[in-house]
């Protein structure tokens, strides 16, 4: 016996039932975590374009609707995977330690600068397994930034960068152009991050006896000294110009 329903009606009812099932999917933190872990592994290995939602769902042991329910779509899943990878790679570093963050708001500008640099160097030189999928995904994302990077900049990187700029503003002579302050801030960040990016190369350049002396504390002190010397030189030049102008 043929159905009297108009063509397409059964398809619409089926679509409606599918949507209803997605909406009614129970909250399952474990399933969401499995999806994120699977997505990190997939995107770290293949990247966003080649990584597939089907492979991720199979690895996580969930159906395809779970991606739509928890993350909206593949892009939403990717963004959350990158954010999760970023949290994992920074979970045990000084910059996200509550006590270290508190130190950035205390003491003289010089003390706050040293605290900032110390935390960032500790993060950069912390032992990290470069074969770890979280690490791999972050390197892949940074080399070809997407919306995920923009979110990390807003939520994590920009607040730290602004904090560093406020510290430098307190140290630099009044009237220092903002661009000069930014350049100095980039110099601080660049020196700190060098030890993360060049980590595998440094042992190839230094003998073991010297490399073992390259502790986070020694590196942080070196960066602090060079930064403070640059600030002192700028302050000295400004004072010299003032004296010269007063004699005219």
């Amino acid at each position: 016996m043929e159905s009297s329903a108009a063509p397409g009606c059964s398809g619409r009812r089926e679509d409606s039932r599918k949507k209803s099932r997605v909406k009614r999917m129970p909250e399952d933190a474990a399933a969401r975590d499995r999806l994120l872990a699977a997505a990190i592994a997939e995107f770290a290995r293949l990247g966003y374009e080649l990584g597939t939602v089907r492979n991720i769902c199979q690895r996580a042991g969930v159906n395809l609707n779970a991606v739509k329910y928890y993350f909206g779509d593949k892009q939403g899943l990717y963004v959350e995977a990158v954010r999760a990878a970023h949290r994992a790679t920074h979970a045990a570093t000084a910059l996200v330690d509550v006590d270290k963050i508190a130190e950035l708001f205390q003491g003289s500008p010089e003390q706050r600068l040293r605290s900032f640099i110390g935390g960032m160097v500790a993060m950069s030189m912390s032992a990290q397994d470069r074969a770890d999928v979280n690490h791999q995904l972050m390197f892949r994302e940074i080399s070809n930034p997407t919306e995920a990077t923009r979110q990390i900049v807003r939520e994590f990187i920009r607040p730290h960068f602004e904090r560093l700029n406020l510290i430098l503003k307190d140290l630099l002579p009044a009237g220092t152009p903002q661009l000069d302050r930014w350049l100095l801030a980039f110099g601080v960040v660049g020196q700190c991050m060098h030890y993360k990016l060049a980590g595998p190369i440094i042992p190839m350049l230094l003998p073991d006896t010297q490399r073992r002396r390259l502790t986070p504390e020694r590196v942080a002190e070196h960066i602090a000294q060079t930064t403070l010397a640059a600030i002192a030189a700028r302050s000295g030049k400004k004072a010299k110009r003032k004296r010269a102008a007063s004699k005219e």
Side-chain angles (χ1 to χ4, degrees), residues 181-247:
R181 190 169 73 247
W182 284 341
L183 288 170
L184 188 59
F186 287 140
V188 170
V189 173
Q191 289 181 80
C192 294
M193 292 304 295
H194 167 77
Y195 294 90
K196 181 181 183 70
L197 301 176
I201 306 300
I202 292 174
M204 303 178 191
L205 297 173
L206 301 182
D208 287 344
T209 54
Q210 295 300 314
R211 182 173 59 83
R212 284 194 290 269
R213 298 175 62 189
L214 209 64
T215 63
E217 294 77 16
R218 179 67 184 87
V219 170
E221 180 60 21
H222 167 76
I223 296 172
Q225 287 179 1
T226 57
T227 304
L228 291 169
I231 292 171
R234 176 180 287 274
S235 299
K237 287 179 181 179
K238 186 171 183 178
K240 187 176 181 180
R241 286 195 298 268
K242 281 186 176 180
R243 288 194 298 269
S246 65
K247 292 178 181 178

Side-chain angles (χ1 to χ4, degrees), residues 36-190:
L36 281 177
I40 290 170
E42 178 81 357
F43 292 134
R45 186 171 66 91
L46 298 174
Y48 178 78
E49 296 297 333
L50 296 180
T52 70
V53 171
R54 185 173 298 279
N55 285 347
I56 292 168
C57 289
Q58 287 177 349
R59 183 192 294 259
V62 300
N63 62 51
L64 292 173
N65 286 334
V67 171
K68 182 175 182 180
Y69 179 77
Y70 290 114
F71 305 103
D73 54 20
K74 180 182 178 182
Q75 183 179 6
L77 173 60
Y78 178 78
V79 168
E80 288 303 315
V82 172
R83 293 176 68 195
H86 181 265
R87 288 193 298 271
T89 56
H90 290 78
T93 64
L95 276 180
V96 295
D97 183 86
V98 174
D99 293 334
K100 290 293 182 181
I101 290 176
E103 289 178 13
L104 298 180
F105 296 86
Q106 300 170 358
S108 68
E110 182 176 328
Q111 289 172 328
R112 287 184 282 130
L113 177 66
R114 290 181 184 278
S115 179
F116 183 95
I117 292 173
M120 194 163 195
V121 169
M123 176 198 72
S124 298
M125 297 183 70
S126 62
Q128 294 184 356
D129 181 4
R130 288 176 179 262
D132 177 71
V133 290
N134 295 297
H135 195 89
Q136 290 177 351
L137 179 56
M138 288 309 305
F139 266 93
R140 182 185 284 275
E141 171 62 22
I142 290 171
S143 67
N144 187 24
T146 68
E147 174 59 27
T149 295
R150 283 188 282 272
Q151 288 197 24
I152 290 171
V153 168
R154 285 195 300 269
E155 297 170 3
F156 182 84
I157 297 175
R158 182 178 293 281
H160 288 294
F161 186 69
E162 290 176 351
R163 173 56 51 187
L164 175 58
N165 269 279
L166 288 175
I167 295 170
L168 293 175
K169 186 177 181 180
D170 288 341
L171 287 166
L172 287 162
T176 299
Q178 187 178 57
L179 180 58
D180 289 358
R181 190 169 73 247
W182 284 341
L183 288 170
L184 188 59
F186 287 140
V188 170
V189 173

